[in-house]
Amino acid sequence: MKKHIGVLTSGGDCPGLNAAIRGVGKAAIDEMGMSVVGFCDGFRGLVHDRVIRVSGDQLAGILTDGGTILGTSRDKPHKMLVGSKTENMIPAAVDTYHHHGLSALVCIGGGGTQKNALRLVEQGLNVITLPKTIDNDIYGTDVSFGFDTALQIATEAIDRLHSTATSHHRIIVVETMGHRAGWLALGAGIAGGADVILIPEIPYSIDVVTDAIRARAQRGRRFSIVAVAEGAMTREEAETIEALVRQKKDAQSKRERKEVSARLQAFHENHVDHTVKLTEQLERLTGIESRLTILGHLQRGGTPSAADRILATRLGTACAELLRDGVHGVMVAARSEGVVPLPLDEVAGRKKLVPPDHPWVSAARLTGVCLGEP
Ligand code: F6P
């Protein structure tokens, strides 16, 4: 019987999503004789049965386009805002799947998507996922598509900031995305020759950072580039978070757990303008004029790099092959030159953070980059 598969993209967008949709679609339709339907705006489209027919026409010319032709959202099927209420919409998602007579559903997304996909697997659906995110923090895959393009954008930004920082003898702080993982700040920082790189995995001391900048100034280097991941934090902040997480785990009552959760949330809300405060602090403590550039969503927009197009095509076509062979319940992970189907229950809920002994970390240290560690 002809297989009919569904595809959706979920979570924050990134360059390479269209290349992945095209890879799955072309291989499934043209090479394996399957038919494909796309769901709009992530899991919301699946819940509300909003579809786009996916055929050769829709797939033509999208390889180089940024974003996703299917649209995306951060909606979770088990906790979806419907009107003014949050509801469990998994039964509606399951109904849509059966209504279309799907053989399988392909969910293209990041960490949250892996968890949502597993929830559908637990309802008996055949689901397979592809790893995308500019943060590169998906467990089990060497790399996720979107990362290489974002890395290039952030590196180019640092290159450009270098010349203006030099002319004005300023500190320029450049904030990259990455709440929990510092791959982007670390990679772009190394590639762009940043003088200081601050990432969430290595909490920093402001004294160490200011000493490094002062030492540069004494050597006649009157400018400094500080690459910071949005989730970077001081050692004191890291200790506060650790204590709150411990308290939440040990909480004796629901009320206590709720109180600690509210304090954790307040901490994160407060942390949003962390790089603004850091920039002011650096100016005050070093006496060197300082400026901040937040790269934000620029890192997620535009055409994918060649490496991301190849990776997304490789993973997308491998996904179609796995579907043809009846494999599901897995994420198609990139491993060296090949791919590995990893069980979703192994991937969901885990993150690939920067290990403190990662070769990129040692390379940064050995080229004199200050990582803020005492
Ligand atoms: O998709 C991951 C990510 O790019 C994070 O690095 C960033 O913190 C977040 O998305 C921003 O999300 P949004 O687009 O919802 O503001």
Side-chain angles (χ1 to χ4, degrees):
M1 208 176 76
K2 186 172 167 165
K3 286 191 173 170
H4 184 45
I5 60 168
V7 183
L8 61 81
T9 50
S10 166
D13 71 344
C14 74
L17 282 169
N18 283 327
I21 297 168
R22 175 179 173 272
V24 176
K26 272 184 165 277
I29 300 167
D30 300 341
E31 303 298 320
M32 292 156 199
M34 301 181 199
S35 53
V36 181
V37 64
F39 293 98
C40 304
D41 305 335
F43 291 97
R44 186 164 286 272
L46 180 68
V47 162
H48 295 310
D49 195 6
R50 282 195 289 115
V51 296
I52 293 182
R53 206 176 131 246
V54 178
S55 68
D57 281 350
Q58 279 78 32
L59 299 175
I62 65 169
L63 173 66
T64 55
D65 291 346
T68 157
I69 56 163
L70 298 177
T72 186
S73 72
R74 291 200 181 274
D75 289 310
K76 305 172 183 136
H78 70 302
K79 266 189 195 172
M80 192 174 283
L81 196 64
V82 183
S84 57
K85 279 211 292 208
T86 301
E87 290 189 35
N88 176 6
M89 299 303 281
I90 286 183
V94 173
D95 279 354
T96 307
Y97 178 97
H98 292 305
H99 167 71
H100 285 275
L102 297 182
S103 322
L105 173 70
V106 181
C107 300
I108 310 177
T113 302
Q114 312 306 324
K115 289 199 242 174
N116 292 327
L118 181 62
R119 290 184 182 108
L120 298 181
V121 170
E122 286 162 358
Q123 299 302 310
L125 305 193
N126 299 337
V127 183
I128 190 161
T129 66
L130 293 181
K132 70 87 212 167
T133 168
I134 68 161
D135 292 352
N136 195 31
D137 60 353
I138 302 177
Y139 177 84
T141 187
D142 286 355
V143 66
S144 53
F145 55 84
F147 175 63
D148 183 72
T149 312
L151 187 58
Q152 278 187 24
I153 296 170
T155 302
E156 190 190 333
I158 295 179
D159 289 348
R160 289 177 185 277
L161 291 168
H162 247 111
S163 62
T164 171
T166 315
S167 312
H168 285 270
H169 318 295
R170 283 174 172 159
I171 294 172
I172 294 197
V173 176
V174 50
E175 182 193 294
T176 69
M177 278 191 172
H179 268 303
R180 297 276 307 281
W183 295 106
L184 205 46
L186 180 61
I190 294 171
D195 308 295
V196 179
I197 303 177
L198 306 176
I199 61 173
E201 294 89 340
I202 306 180
Y204 68 89
S205 148
I206 188 72
D207 295 337
V208 172
V209 176
T210 47
D211 283 352
I213 292 175
R214 279 198 207 104
R216 276 177 55 76
Q218 273 161 16
R219 292 198 305 272
R221 306 262 191 277
R222 292 166 60 206
F223 73 94
S224 285
I225 299 286
V226 182
V228 191
E230 61 187 328
M233 58 181 85
T234 62
R235 292 163 69 82
E236 295 74 24
E237 286 169 330
E239 276 163 23
T240 308
I241 292 241
E242 260 170 46
L244 286 172
V245 169
R246 227 177 301 121
Q247 271 178 43
K248 190 174 165 187
K249 225 163 120 199
D250 299 343
Q252 300 295 319
S253 64
K254 217 171 156 184
R255 197 171 132 241
E256 197 187 332
R257 197 166 312 118
K258 230 174 142 183
E259 264 173 33
V260 184
S261 298
R263 282 165 58 201
L264 261 171
Q265 197 180 331
F267 179 91
H268 288 297
E269 280 165 11
N270 228 342
H271 198 254
V272 169
D273 60 353
H274 153 252
T275 44
V276 176
K277 291 180 192 144
L278 172 67
T279 310
E280 285 164 4
Q281 221 176 357
L282 289 179
E283 179 165 293
R284 188 164 29 82
L285 295 172
T286 62
I288 303 174
E289 198 177 27
S290 304
R291 294 288 188 269
L292 168 65
T293 299
I294 297 179
L295 297 180
H297 292 81
L298 260 184
Q299 297 158 103
R300 292 219 314 241
T303 188
S305 66
D308 273 338
R309 292 179 206 178
I310 294 170
L311 177 64
T313 304
R314 198 154 73 76
L315 296 180
T317 50
C319 173
E321 286 183 308
L322 289 167
L323 291 173
R324 176 200 57 202
D325 298 343
V327 179
H328 42 76
V330 296
M331 178 185 83
V332 188
R335 198 64 62 75
S336 185
E337 289 303 304
V339 303
V340 176
L342 275 189
L344 271 173
D345 55 3
E346 230 179 79
V347 177
R350 296 169 89 173
K351 269 194 190 300
K352 182 183 73 180
L353 302 179
V354 178
D357 59 351
H358 191 272
W360 287 12
V361 175
S362 359
R365 281 195 195 113
L366 291 170
T367 46
V369 176
C370 167
L371 297 171
E373 3 159 56

